[in-house]
Structures are given as C-alpha cells and as structure tokens.
Amino acid sequence: MDSIKQLEQEMESKEKELVSLKHELAALRKQLPLFTVEDYTLTSTEGEKLLLSELFGDKSELIVIHNMGKSCSYCTLWADGFSGFTKHLENKAAFVLTSPDDFQTLSDFSNERGWAFKSVSTKGTTFKEDLGFKSKEGFWPGVSILLKEEDGTIKHYTKAAFGPGDDYCSIWSLFELLPEGSGSWGPKHKYEE
C-alpha cells in the first residue's frame, strides 16, 4: 500500500509541476511584442466578403484558429473539439476558424462536420502568412489572439501552435490514460474508418 501511496504522491507532484510550467509558458507568450494587423477582407461560408474587424462583433478579443483546411485530418480533429466549446468560448471572446480553402469547400466541409462556429476563408489573402502560420513549406495549425482597440486598430497579442499532445485538443490527454497511450493512432476524416 505504501508504494501505491508513494506513486500517487509522485503523480500529484508531476501534475502540479505541469500546471506551474503552463503558467510560465503563458507568461512567456504574453511577452511577445504586439503588432498591428491589417483589416483583411475575408470570405464567409456564404461567399460574403467581410472585414476581419467585423469578426469581433461586440467583443474586443478574437480567438483565431488557423486551420490548414479540409485535407488535414488533424486540423479537423481540433475543429471538431471546438464545436462543443463554441458557446463557452464566445461567452468570453469572439471566435472564428480560418481556412485556406475556398469558401465553398469550407462551407461544405463545415456543414458536413456540423461545426457550430463561424468559419472564414483566407484564400487570396496573406493573412496566415502575415500572422506566422504559412511558410514556404505550407500552412501550419494554431491559434492567434487578436485585440481590437477603441480606435478600431487590430493588434496581434499572442499565438500558439497546434500538435498532438497540446492543450488545445483534450483527446490526447484522455488517450494517454489508456494502457497503450495514443500509440500510432491518428485522426480520420470519417469516424468509421
């Protein structure tokens, strides 16, 4: 019994260390210098042109998900997870998923997946590249936090990359509780695959 208690105490200690490290990482992210973001013209899933500033609605903070598009099953997994949190996220800040796909592809795919959040196409803009989520190698998944100042100026506050095991997709932590962990599992576009 003592060995079990000792193991549980070690686990609790490691969990506290992780929480502490996450706080340190959050503090480091907040040290990134703010920069002004252009008021890009994006395209809604209905084909309507709208300004980035309009996505804030009545909020001063905007959570921008940088999705890599329909072809990425990992990005699809993250977006599927945001569906359940949409109302909670929007209670605190404005929330939008951005995709490099054209608006019709994005519209069809988001309807197929049942995504309840606002999605926009960045096709034809330098939005993803300017915010650090596109390079010569292609698009990268992640999140940016944008702030809208009283005069309407948009500032980039901070960002984070997405990847297996991160804090932005809870499925990985649940899988790690299984005997084999996540193993070689990878997300599928269709649930029954």
Side-chain angles (χ1 to χ4, degrees):
M1 269 316 206
D2 286 341
S3 63
I4 292 174
K5 186 152 183 80
Q6 182 180 355
L7 184 57
E8 288 175 343
Q9 287 173 341
E10 285 181 43
M11 289 165 41
E12 184 179 338
S13 175
K14 290 296 181 192
E15 287 173 347
K16 286 179 181 177
E17 283 180 48
L18 279 174
V19 170
S20 179
L21 284 172
K22 287 178 185 182
H23 287 295
E24 289 177 33
L25 179 57
L28 287 172
R29 282 194 175 109
K30 291 175 183 177
Q31 292 178 33
L32 285 172
L34 273 70
F35 62 87
T36 302
V37 176
E38 176 185 328
D39 198 2
Y40 296 87
T41 299
L42 306 169
T43 309
S44 74
T45 53
E46 292 80 31
E48 172 191 0
K49 297 292 183 187
L50 50 97
L51 294 172
L52 176 63
S53 57
E54 295 177 80
L55 297 173
F56 284 83
D58 63 353
K59 305 276 199 264
S60 62
E61 300 167 318
L62 176 63
I63 300 168
V64 178
I65 303 301
H66 297 281
N67 190 278
M68 293 171 57
K70 180 181 178 177
S71 66
C72 179
S73 59
Y74 283 84
C75 287
T76 301
L77 174 65
W78 268 248
D80 286 347
F82 296 134
S83 285
F85 292 122
T86 300
K87 295 297 180 194
H88 300 287
L89 291 165
E90 291 176 340
N91 183 262
K92 174 76 173 146
F95 180 83
V96 67
L97 178 137
T98 63
S99 171
D101 291 336
D102 63 82
F103 83 89
Q104 190 62 60
T105 300
L106 175 59
S107 178
D108 292 345
F109 194 58
S110 64
N111 284 331
E112 175 188 317
R113 301 303 295 187
W115 293 344
F117 44 79
K118 189 175 294 181
S119 301
V120 294
S121 170
T122 61
K123 190 166 182 74
T125 73
T126 58
F127 180 78
K128 289 190 178 288
E129 184 175 11
D130 295 345
L131 271 66
F133 289 90
K134 181 183 179 199
S135 66
K136 292 176 186 171
E137 291 80 35
F139 295 100
W140 299 101
V143 58
S144 288
I145 302 299
L146 304 182
L147 308 177
K148 186 163 72 169
E149 298 181 345
E150 285 187 25
D151 67 358
T153 302
I154 300 170
K155 297 282 188 172
H156 185 276
Y157 179 65
T158 194
K159 66 180 181 177
F162 288 173
D166 70 25
D167 287 333
Y168 306 101
C169 186
S170 59
I171 196 170
W172 300 101
S173 294
L174 293 171
F175 282 167
E176 290 310 317
L177 295 173
L178 299 171
E180 299 294 322
S182 56
S184 62
W185 182 87
K188 318 285 188 292
H189 273 299
K190 303 231 184 257
Y191 299 117
E192 55 283 339
E193 288 179 10

